[in-house]
Amino acid sequence: MKKKLLIVLALLVAVPALLLFASCGKQTVKADIGEAADTLSDKGASASDSDSSDSSGSDVTSESLTDAQSLQKSAGPTAQERMAMEKAEAMQALVNEDVRFDFDSAALNERAQEILKKKATYLEKYSAAYVTVTIEGHCDDRGTNEYNLALGEKRAQSAKNFLVNLGIASSRLKTISYGEEKPVDPGQNEGAWVKNRRAHFIIQ
Amino acid sequence: MRYFRLFIVFVAALLTMTGISFGGYDYIDINSPSIRKMPIAVPLFKSGSVATNSDNIQLSKKGSDMLSGMLDFTGYFKILDRDSFLENPLKPETTLQTVDFRNWTTVGAELLVTGTIQAKGNDLEIEMRLFDTTKASQLVGKKYRADANDLRQIMRLFASEIVYCLTGNRGVFDTCIAFVSTGSGNKEIYICDFDGTNVRQFTKNKAITLFPAWSSDGKWLAYTSYLKGNPDLYIKNIANNSISSVAKKGINITPSWMPGQFALAATLSYSGDQDIYLMTGDGKIIKKLTNSTGSDVSPAFSPNGKKMAFVSSRSGTPQIYIQDIDTGAVQRLTFNGRYNTQPCWSHKGDKIVYCGMDEGRHNIYIIGLDGKAPVQLTHNEGNNESPSWSPDGSLIVFSSTREGPSRIYVMTSYGTDQRRLFAISGEQTNPKWSPRLVNK
């Protein structure tokens, strides 16, 4: 939870700064940086959409626009911030999307493999930062809880093995099984069960 | 155990025995599938010489109600309605000499329990007798003296005498049931008496705690807990709370004790595969018992410890297998359905009760060792899981969602008399019946 908060906070700081950077880019900054900023501002905008912090973002922008001097000074830190934001985004994507499984199965279907491949690219990108993750294996509660605790471990392991095969160092991937003990959705219907049969990623 | 702090000054077979030997145990054959409930009369106990004292009258009612409740719990008896009794309150019938057996055969009683309770200071003096009304004979007579707070213990002792006399088995009165409850906000292990009374919290880990397992002497309870973040195994001495743990990488789950030994089996996955290992009671690995790719969980030993039932996914779906401990030979036991788990061996070693899934619902089944024709004991009432046999084989405790939240239920080993043990906050799962916890 703390990590999520930090990520959101980082975005709140970084997004307005980037928006500001992008909107002024055409006049003051070189074209190639401007381009990079443009693509970033797209991402930034969508991130701020999801946080519904548009209004506060534009407030900050309009105030800062009057001071071109301070803008120039902040060009250095912004690159760092951009990196941080990219990483935060990647980390969030790593955590947000669960790998799902069929009933009584630890096999990775096509969709599960796609998600894991995406996660592998993030992990690869930040291998220097040595991001390590814990993969939690979970089950729906239709089985019995002894067997499910074993099944949850196999789900976490098959996600891990897939990533290791893609070249991620196994030392960066811990696994733990919670069986059916930590459902995300306590409902007793297919919709809930699908969500609960998952490998969930946590950044350490 | 504190539980058995009972000060019986003396327990004496009453001298009024009439030469009936109770060696036959032919009253109730607990192995008969068509068990007939024996009609038994448990009239209010008499209050001895001070019958006018209202405290004594209350005590008599409490005692006789307690005893008839315990007898009812066994499923062996039909407790007759006291309103139908013909006894004359002015002519108390308590001994062979004073009981008018026609009064009892007329109301359909085949058995009669009489008692007198006298409070003497802080002590109680209680006499109780069991009669066969058709033979007009006394089967059991006992006299107890104990602390006034130990009324329930005395009733348990006499209930045990009655059941022993009629079945040749001591029954379940000195057993407990361990189970998991979410009442505190986390899954923790609780213990209650055989009939669901006296519920107390056993672990206070503030972390997911699962799979209680009693040692066969009743002195140890093993379980899995996420106390330190990982599902580790803990082995706890019930009397002095000393603990050893098995905290290997991966899962350390589903402990089960080997009968008569300070040794237990559990599933560990530190090697990379989930296999069942045999360990000493303090958690040192003796040997690996299973060796197949896939999950091997939930070991359960036969009463003589020579065989082990367990659940394996080696065929693709979870099924129950039986392994010979000495030879290592493995046989698949269950073939019906695609999800059969949670095996528990009967006290005689001839049957296994387990949980099978059909059309998305779990139900409880009993199967012989030949694996043929499993008998379904629960039907169309929510999910019914985690069956555990009482040590005398007469009853099965299990969890069920038939009333919504998961709760603990008991039934006879024929599936009859299904009833909830208690209603406490949270959900209750994973019940395990203890062995007889005899006061030592």
Side-chain angles (χ1 to χ4, degrees), chain A residues 103-104 141-151 153-154 157 160 175-182 188, chain B residues 187 208 210-211 226 229 250-251 253-254 269 274 294-295 297-298 313 318 339 341-342 355 357 362 385 430:
Chain A
F103 178 69
D104 187 26
D141 66 356
R142 282 184 300 165
T144 44
N145 65 343
E146 296 91 341
Y147 184 76
N148 271 343
L149 206 43
L151 178 60
E153 184 180 51
K154 297 186 98 181
Q157 275 173 350
K160 176 180 171 170
T175 59
I176 187 166
S177 173
Y178 287 106
E180 63 178 66
E181 308 300 335
K182 287 190 167 187
Q188 289 298 311
Chain B
K187 284 196 171 181
I208 303 165
L210 305 160
F211 316 139
Y226 286 74
I251 55 173
I253 65 167
T254 62
S269 68
Q274 299 161 343
S295 306
V297 297
S298 302
S313 65
Y339 204 108
T341 59
Q342 302 179 324
C355 175
M357 192 192 214
H362 289 286
E385 300 180 17
N430 295 147

Side-chain angles (χ1 to χ4, degrees), chain B residues 345-366:
Chain B
W345 226 294
S346 76
H347 73 305
K348 284 166 74 188
D350 57 341
K351 284 173 190 151
I352 283 171
V353 65
Y354 67 95
C355 175
M357 192 192 214
D358 186 34
E359 292 177 357
R361 289 285 185 194
H362 289 286
N363 277 299
I364 291 169
Y365 297 81
I366 287 181

Side-chain angles (χ1 to χ4, degrees), chain B residues 89-164:
Chain B
L90 299 174
K91 253 182 70 189
E93 300 180 29
T94 52
T95 63
L96 189 61
Q97 287 74 32
T98 53
V99 169
D100 183 348
F101 287 104
R102 282 166 310 175
N103 279 349
W104 301 103
T105 49
T106 306
V107 299
E110 291 173 24
L111 297 166
L112 166 69
V113 176
T114 67
T116 57
I117 299 188
Q118 286 187 60
K120 294 190 169 173
N122 269 340
D123 283 357
L124 294 177
E125 207 170 278
I126 304 180
E127 279 184 31
M128 286 176 284
R129 294 173 173 81
L130 172 70
F131 298 99
D132 177 331
T133 57
T134 47
K135 290 186 187 153
S137 63
Q138 177 176 317
L139 301 177
V140 188
K142 292 278 176 182
K143 186 168 179 175
Y144 303 88
R145 183 185 279 178
D147 189 277
N149 296 322
D150 292 328
L151 182 66
R152 188 175 149 77
Q153 317 286 36
I154 295 173
M155 292 309 149
R156 282 157 38 130
L157 284 173
F158 194 64
S160 185
E161 294 292 342
I162 291 175
V163 166
Y164 181 64

Side-chain angles (χ1 to χ4, degrees), chain A residues 15 20 65 107 142 162 165 197 201:
Chain A
V15 167
L20 153 85
L65 270 173
R142 282 184 300 165
F162 189 83
N165 286 338
R197 294 191 298 264
F201 282 60

